[in-house]
Structure formats: structure tokens, C-alpha cells
Amino acid sequence: VQLQASGGGLVQAGGSLRLSCVVSGTIFKINDMGWYLQAPGKQRELVATITSGGTTTYADSVKGRFTISRDSAKNTMYLQMNSLKPEDTDVYYCNLRGRTMFGRDVDYWGQGTQVTVSS
């Protein structure tokens, strides 16, 4: 299983970006997917997650501005980022947690995509 993140870039404060994470390969069961930050030397930080049932969670800092979604038919997860602020600047990583048909928990990460918000 591979995750390919894209959609990052440079945008002015107040602007929008949409991140995408395409999942390739077969996985028996997806528990949840999400977007995280991980700056060098810092702990991983949750941005947003979405369960297989569609339940979403958000970091307080992005509530009301970011929306996470999934298109199962396209094997793609999205993060719509609106009203971007300079403090949103970071590398965003997509994640998938699931289970194999043998009952083993799996945890996959995509490469990061850089989001830079200028003031």
C-alpha cells in the first residue's frame, strides 16, 4: 500500500488549498485516515481524521476552516483548507490505519506536502 500526497504550495493569507492523498494497493479494512504535521524534532500533530464511517475530528486550530473528506471510489482523501493563516505553514502528511485480512493492524504514511502561507 502506498499513499501519495499532493496539492501543497504557496498561498497568501486568507487563501485556500486542497490537499489530496491517493491510496494505491489493496487493504482489507480501513479504520481511519488523516492528515498530520510533523516538524523535525517535534511530536506528530493531528490536523484532521476521518473514520471509515465518516466521523471526522479536527484540531482546534483548524476547526471551521479545514474540511476532511474521502472519495472511496477514487481511493482518495482530501483536506480542503480555507482562510489559511501563516501559522498553517508546515509539511502535511497523510496517514491510513487499517487491518489486513489476517487481523494485523497496519499504519501507512505518505510523503509530506509543503504548505506555505505568506502574510
Side-chain angles (χ1 to χ4, degrees):
V1 174
Q2 290 188 326
L3 278 61
Q4 180 71 42
S6 63
L10 173 63
V11 64
Q12 287 190 332
S16 298
L17 284 173
R18 188 175 79 157
L19 306 184
S20 299
C21 178
V22 179
V23 181
S24 59
T26 302
I27 185 162
F28 182 69
K29 182 180 185 298
I30 295 175
N31 292 330
D32 61 58
M33 296 184 69
W35 293 94
Y36 293 80
L37 311 175
Q38 186 160 24
K42 293 187 177 181
Q43 282 205 336
R44 189 172 296 154
E45 182 180 335
L46 178 147
V47 177
T49 63
I50 183 167
T51 68
S52 58
T55 301
T56 58
T57 58
Y58 295 93
D60 288 343
S61 60
V62 306
K63 283 180 182 176
R65 300 188 298 121
F66 291 9
T67 303
I68 189 171
S69 62
R70 278 180 62 191
D71 185 335
S72 297
K74 295 182 178 179
N75 293 327
T76 303
M77 174 180 63
Y78 302 99
L79 185 68
Q80 179 66 44
M81 312 167 73
N82 297 329
S83 303
L84 281 161
K85 304 175 181 180
E87 50 263 44
D88 294 320
T89 295
D90 217 310
V91 180
Y92 288 71
Y93 295 87
C94 59
N95 170 258
L96 180 156
R97 295 188 298 184
R99 183 163 290 182
T100 69
M101 63 183 298
F102 303 107
R104 182 171 65 92
D105 290 333
V106 290
D107 190 0
Y108 298 106
W109 291 90
Q111 90 293 1
T113 184
Q114 175 72 49
V115 171
T116 303
V117 184
S118 63
S119 57

